[in-house]
């Protein structure tokens, strides 16, 4: 009985060991390949999986999550023979675990070497100015080439980014001087353009002022002529009225006319620039009589209106 009991215990232990060997728990984001006598037969997905113990074993453990690789710095000679130092970063994801496990040896090293080689190829065919201004174009070209090359390895390269492009110090200093000269050139052009625009605006303002001044003089001359015309019409009318009064034998009209001319003559003498003091005999009675005549004419005109 002791021998049978020992056999049962050994058999039980062996069964437990076989069960443990046959049950595999795969974590999320991972995939395990299964080999039977060294040959790939399948891939275990995340969760609880069963395999045949002893004959089957786990081959490769593949990370199925998106991964990031830093591309080491390297020197690249551009098309115009400028030496620049370049580094970058690669984002990739395994989409087929079997290909990633068995189609390439040392997957990470293969990706790095492929990316570095293509960086030299793509950037070496471009001028330095293109490298510094077309980084998105470089990233797109690298992504297209590397993604096609790694497709047989069961990979999907999602992004390739150039992190830094560092030209030599002397070249950087030369570029800084060039940029400074270009800025000064643009500033001089803008300053000259501003001065030109100011002169144009000043000339237009002077032109407009001259036009407005001419228009003002024209309007003033027109109004002066109109005033003189009305004055002449008024004088002609007054002369006509005096003539009619004289013809009717009214002596007061003659006195009015003479007094008006007399007063105008005195006004002209008084306003002369050369006269400081005027000494001349004046018959005040004649002036008063003329003014009286004007008063009589006014009374007669009012009496006629009231009649």
């Amino acid at each position: 009985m002791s021998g049978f009991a020992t056999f049962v215990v050994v058999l039980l232990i062996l069964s437990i060991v076989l069960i443990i060997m046959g049950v595999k728990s795969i974590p999320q984001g991972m995939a395990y390949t299964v080999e039977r006598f060294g040959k790939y037969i399948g891939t275990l997905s995340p969760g609880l999986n069963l395999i045949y113990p002893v004959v089957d074993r786990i081959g490769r453990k593949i990370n199925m999550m998106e991964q990031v690789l830093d591309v080491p710095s390297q020197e690249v000679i551009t098309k115009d023979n400028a030496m620049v130092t370049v580094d970058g970063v690669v984002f990739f994801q395994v989409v087929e675990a079997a290909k990633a496990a068995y189609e390439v040896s040392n997957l990470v090293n293969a990706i790095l070497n492929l990316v570095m080689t293509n960086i030299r190829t793509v950037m070496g065919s471009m001028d330095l100015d293109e490298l510094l201004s077309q980084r998105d174009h470089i990233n797109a070209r690298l992504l297209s080439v590397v993604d096609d090359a790694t497709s047989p390895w069961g990979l999907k390269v999602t992004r390739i980014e150039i992190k830094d492009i560092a030209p030599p110090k002397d070249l950087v200093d030369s570029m800084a001087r060039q940029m400074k000269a270009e800025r000064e050139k643009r500033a001089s052009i803008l300053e000259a353009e501003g001065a030109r625009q100011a002169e144009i605006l000043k000339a237009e303002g002077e032109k407009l002022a001259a036009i407005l001044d001419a228009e003002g003089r024209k309007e003033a001359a027109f109004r002066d002529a109109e005033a003189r015309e009305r004055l002449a019409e008024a004088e002609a009318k007054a002369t006509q009225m005096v003539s009619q009064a004289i013809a009717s034998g009214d002596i007061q009209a003659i006195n009015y006319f003479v007094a008006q001319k007399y007063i105008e003559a005195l006004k002209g003498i008084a306003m002369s620039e050369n006269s400081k003091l005027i000494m001349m005999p004046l018959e005040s009675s004649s002036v008063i009589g003329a003014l009286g005549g004007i008063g009589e004419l006014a009374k007669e005109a009012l009496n006629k209106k009231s009649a």
Side-chain angles (χ1 to χ4, degrees):
M1 290 294 294
S2 61
F4 180 75
T6 302
F7 174 76
V8 171
V9 170
V10 171
L11 183 62
L12 182 60
I13 293 173
L14 182 62
S15 299
I16 294 173
V17 171
L18 290 177
I19 292 173
I20 293 175
M21 293 176 61
V23 176
K24 299 297 179 182
S25 176
I26 312 301
Q28 184 66 38
M30 300 292 292
Y32 293 178
T33 61
V34 179
E35 299 175 356
R36 178 171 295 170
F37 300 114
K39 180 181 179 181
Y40 168 77
I41 61 170
T43 302
L44 302 181
S45 58
L48 192 64
N49 295 268
L50 297 176
I51 62 173
Y52 294 110
V54 181
V55 295
D56 293 344
R57 68 181 184 89
I58 301 297
R60 305 287 178 85
K61 299 178 180 181
I62 305 299
N63 187 345
M64 302 298 290
M65 296 180 288
E66 188 171 9
Q67 303 177 62
V68 182
L69 285 178
D70 285 325
V71 180
S73 298
Q74 61 176 330
E75 292 184 344
V76 177
I77 300 176
T78 63
K79 186 178 180 181
D80 52 353
N81 296 322
M83 182 76 71
V84 295
T85 302
V86 183
D87 60 3
V89 62
V90 182
F91 297 83
F92 71 95
Q93 185 176 14
V94 176
V95 293
E96 295 184 47
K99 289 183 178 181
Y102 301 109
E103 295 294 334
V104 60
S105 176
N106 198 339
L107 179 64
V108 173
N109 188 51
I111 295 173
L112 284 177
N113 281 278
L114 181 63
V115 172
M116 293 176 68
T117 302
N118 280 278
I119 285 177
R120 289 194 296 269
T121 302
V122 172
M123 300 183 71
S125 64
M126 304 173 69
D127 295 331
L128 179 60
D129 291 340
E130 293 177 331
L131 293 185
L132 299 176
S133 62
Q134 300 183 13
R135 188 170 298 192
D136 290 341
H137 177 65
I138 296 172
N139 294 337
R141 286 184 60 184
L142 287 173
L143 178 62
S144 176
V145 173
V146 175
D147 187 43
D148 290 341
T150 56
S151 181
W153 301 344
L155 301 180
K156 175 63 179 176
V157 179
T158 56
R159 291 182 69 86
I160 297 180
E161 295 289 341
I162 299 298
K163 292 196 297 184
D164 189 27
I165 300 176
K169 186 177 183 302
D170 57 344
L171 188 56
V172 173
D173 294 339
S174 176
M175 293 171 62
R177 290 193 299 269
Q178 180 181 357
M179 292 175 62
K180 181 180 178 181
E182 188 67 25
R183 291 192 187 98
E184 291 177 351
K185 176 184 175 182
R186 288 199 298 266
S188 299
I189 292 174
L190 291 175
E191 183 178 357
E193 185 66 23
R196 174 176 172 271
Q197 191 68 22
E199 291 295 332
I200 291 174
L201 293 176
K202 180 180 178 181
E204 289 181 351
E206 292 176 351
K207 176 183 176 182
L208 181 59
I211 292 173
L212 293 175
D213 184 58
E215 290 287 341
R217 290 197 304 271
K218 177 182 176 182
E219 183 68 20
F222 175 76
R223 293 188 179 276
D224 289 342
E226 187 178 15
R228 288 193 299 270
E229 181 181 357
R230 291 183 180 178
L231 180 59
E233 290 178 355
E235 290 179 353
K237 188 173 182 181
T239 303
Q240 182 181 5
M241 292 176 64
V242 171
S243 299
Q244 291 176 357
I246 293 172
S248 62
D250 190 351
I251 194 64
Q252 300 293 337
I254 298 175
N255 290 336
Y256 165 74
F257 190 74
V258 172
Q260 182 184 12
K261 297 299 180 180
Y262 189 77
I263 292 172
E264 289 178 357
L266 291 177
K267 179 180 178 182
I269 294 172
M271 295 180 63
S272 176
E273 295 180 357
N274 296 326
S275 61
K276 302 299 181 181
L277 181 62
I278 301 173
M279 300 292 293
M280 59 183 300
L282 296 174
E283 295 182 0
S284 58
S285 60
S286 298
V287 178
I288 294 172
L291 294 175
I294 295 173
E296 292 295 332
L297 285 175
K299 289 179 180 179
E300 289 181 2
L302 291 172
N303 291 331
K304 287 179 180 180
K305 286 184 180 181
S306 61

